[in-house]
Amino acid sequence: MALLTERDNTTVMGKIRPVRSRNFALTVPALLLLVVFFILPVLSLLLRSVLEPEPGLGNYQALLGSTTYLKIFLNTFSVSALVTVVTLAIGFPVAWALAIMPSRLSSIVFAILLLSMWTNLLTRTYAWMVLLQRTGVINKTLMGLGLISEPLPLVNNLVGVTIGMTYIMLPFIILPLYGVIRKIDPAILQAAALCGATRWQALTRVLIPLATPGMVSGALMVFVMSLGYFVTPALLGGTANMMLAELIAQFVQSLVNWGMGGAAALVLLVVTLALYAIQLRLFGTARMEGR
Amino acid sequence: MTAPFLQIRTLRKDYGIVTAIRDVNLTVERGEFMTFLGPSGSGKSTTLYILAGFENPTAGDILLNGQSLIATPSHKRNIGMVFQRYTLFPHLSVGENIAFPLKVRRLPKTEVDAKVAKMLKLVRLEGFEDRKPAQMSGGQQQRVALARALAYDPPVLLMDEPLSALDKKLREEIQHEIRRIHQETEVTILYVTHDQEEALRLSDRIAVFSKGVIDQIGTGPELYANPSTRFVAEFIGDSDFVTCRVLSARDGRAELAVGKDMTISGVPIHGSAAAGSNAALMLRPERLSLKRGQTGGNGLSATVTDITFLGSNIHVAATVPSGEALSVRLPFGHEATAGLARGDTVSLGFDPASAHVFCA
């Protein structure tokens, strides 16, 4: 019977549908896992944000009405934006170099990139603390060279957070960008040169526009990941520039205020989803036009 | 005396221990259509890429109007180029692609627009300016590439096998377009191809490349009638080769012994050969005459192995006693072909002046 209906489907609706519905069954375990361990907890947090300490939108009023919290939102966005810009500025040349360097060399660079990604996040962040602190390697070297007389404040501030997060985010921009740049035919850049374009013009008028889909997707990924980042800002940042994830942790861990924590988490989630929707829109269509 | 328009002087390019080209010397007149013809790896593209500035020569020089181009980077050479692969900028429309070289030269907008319209008209693609390259066929894309390369009135246009990705019919169509555009614009064209028919159809002169050197430069008929190397003889037109023995050579003409009983004199000889040494006698299939029966001393005796009717022509394949295969092309209805069958003995005759001897 089942076989018969599938046959019918095949003739009436084309070949894809029955295959698709059969494959759907295979996703059920994964979906169950997501529902139990992700969607339900998020929903419960969402519920707590409107139920605790008393039912209503009080938590959201408190969160969005206070300049202290708004400052934290603003700081979260500006740090994420800064990290995204710096990551792009460093990642683009690296991706370009990777795309044009001989494959032997590029596989070494890739190995370094991946190794750093696979190393424990805490370890890497502490390593930056060692490097950046007042008596750290960087300050000692600079002072030893006589370039500075006082140690530079490189940690527990915006500089520390930006350096630490940029370092962590770099692979997420280099990898997609590398894929896009790899696909650009070098002859197109040769054509641009013969057309009279200087290196700069070839970069700004040809290479960057062609790499834009990769840059947009990489940048959005980095921005969204940065919005919710906790470890690096907590260890390398200062109290003056707290980020949203730190605030949520504080609500839940120190103040045991699940209501406020849930509200802040929901705001973060909404912003993230909105950005994801923008990415899909921009990028989905851009891709289709490109083909 | 004015300097030649474009001059390539003892150009050489080494990649490590491999020499891609050497001793490339060439002079091109203004408005000339010059084709680099040769198999892949013969150095024709390398020469073109050095002209474009993508490669630096190991030695030698390129002079345009007496000025060396070598130190000038690609973007300042003001040379146009159409590539083998499609190189239109995929994010720009057809009109923007053609405008690109004008915009990077910062020409005023009115001038750019007028030029784009003129170029679209030249390549007969009016009304396509808003299309994206991906929406156009391969042939159309190459025409846009041609328009883009000509938009800034380059003194020299380089074309690197621009039609190799197209099918045969389309290729012929665009060959006509290229000829027409060459005549209309009077631009000097350096064209690279491995297709002898394409080279013969398009070019004023052809430089035949083989193993990194130019074997011969000349018009199509010159190369066909007077090939200076065996390679050129094989590459341009069809050719038969028969082993012969050089009896004597004087003033570029040789006396030869072919087979057992045939002796001919007055055959143009290329390269030097000691008397008594072996050489290759080149014959053109359509210059051979065919008679039934034994030779009687003034022709090559051969056995017919195959007869193929090809419309206006009939191809007769025959083997000489040494085992070498020859092909003979006769017009349809030729008296000698009537009743000719496999296994027949025939006598192949030729004018010694139309043959060539190449020494190993």
Side-chain angles (χ1 to χ4, degrees), chain B residues 50-344:
Chain B
I50 293 173
L51 277 159
F54 302 146
E55 302 273 6
N56 280 318
T58 310
D61 204 356
I62 296 168
L63 304 172
L64 183 64
N65 289 318
Q67 300 284 316
S68 174
L69 277 183
I70 299 298
T72 313
S74 291
H75 69 271
K76 286 187 184 155
R77 289 197 183 186
N78 203 36
I79 284 176
M81 182 157 177
V82 181
F83 294 72
Q84 185 171 6
R85 287 177 305 212
Y86 305 134
T87 58
L88 294 182
F89 307 124
H91 60 296
L92 299 180
S93 70
V94 165
E96 288 165 336
N97 261 285
I98 300 173
F100 182 88
L102 308 171
K103 282 184 181 162
V104 299
R105 285 172 172 75
R106 302 186 198 290
L107 294 183
K109 194 181 177 303
T110 49
E111 210 172 307
V112 172
D113 290 347
K115 195 78 195 190
V116 169
K118 195 180 154 197
M119 284 299 130
L120 282 167
K121 194 166 172 235
L122 180 71
V123 297
R124 299 194 177 154
L125 283 174
E126 295 111 313
F128 283 80
E129 54 262 54
D130 294 327
R131 295 257 192 119
K132 282 282 174 72
Q135 297 168 306
M136 314 208 28
S137 73
Q140 287 172 329
Q141 286 191 46
Q142 289 303 62
R143 275 150 72 190
V144 176
L146 188 59
R148 184 181 65 184
L150 288 172
Y152 44 103
D153 298 315
V156 178
L157 175 65
L158 310 177
M159 302 182 90
D160 184 17
E161 309 211 24
L163 309 182
S164 58
L166 309 178
D167 63 51
K168 192 172 187 300
K169 194 165 180 293
L170 200 58
R171 208 153 54 211
E172 282 174 17
E173 199 180 301
I174 299 190
Q175 282 166 5
H176 283 294
E177 289 282 291
I178 292 172
R179 270 184 75 105
R180 176 180 62 75
I181 288 165
H182 178 232
Q183 279 156 15
E184 274 180 38
T185 58
E186 293 176 340
V187 65
T188 308
I189 298 183
L190 295 179
Y191 193 98
V192 162
T193 183
H194 61 265
D195 180 347
Q196 55 142 317
E197 206 182 303
E198 187 167 291
L200 292 170
R201 185 170 292 167
L202 293 172
S203 326
D204 295 323
R205 281 194 303 154
I206 299 170
V208 183
F209 278 73
S210 166
K211 294 173 187 161
V213 297
I214 295 181
D215 264 23
Q216 194 176 0
I217 304 170
T219 65
E222 275 168 18
L223 297 176
Y224 184 75
N226 278 309
S228 63
T229 66
R230 176 173 178 153
F231 178 81
V232 175
E234 278 178 298
F235 214 77
I236 310 268
D238 299 322
S239 46
D240 293 324
F241 288 93
V242 184
T243 307
C244 64
R245 202 150 45 79
V246 180
L247 299 175
S248 67
R250 259 186 73 200
D251 302 330
R253 300 270 163 166
E255 191 179 14
L256 314 167
V258 192
K260 275 195 197 121
D261 48 4
M262 187 185 182
T263 311
I264 44 172
S265 55
V267 181
I269 184 165
H270 306 275
S272 58
S277 64
N278 280 347
L281 174 66
M282 190 279 288
L283 305 164
R284 294 289 186 195
E286 70 281 3
R287 302 292 291 268
L288 285 167
S289 66
L290 184 146
K291 260 190 226 142
R292 314 283 290 271
Q294 293 295 330
T295 61
N298 51 5
L300 290 166
S301 79
T303 310
V304 174
T305 55
D306 200 11
I307 302 163
T308 318
F309 169 67
L310 287 172
S312 56
N313 283 314
I314 290 176
H315 278 207
V316 179
T319 315
V320 292
S322 66
E324 286 162 307
L326 296 183
S327 90
V328 184
R329 194 180 304 154
L330 299 167
F332 176 67
H334 190 274
E335 58 206 19
T337 61
L340 194 68
R342 284 182 204 174
D344 286 356

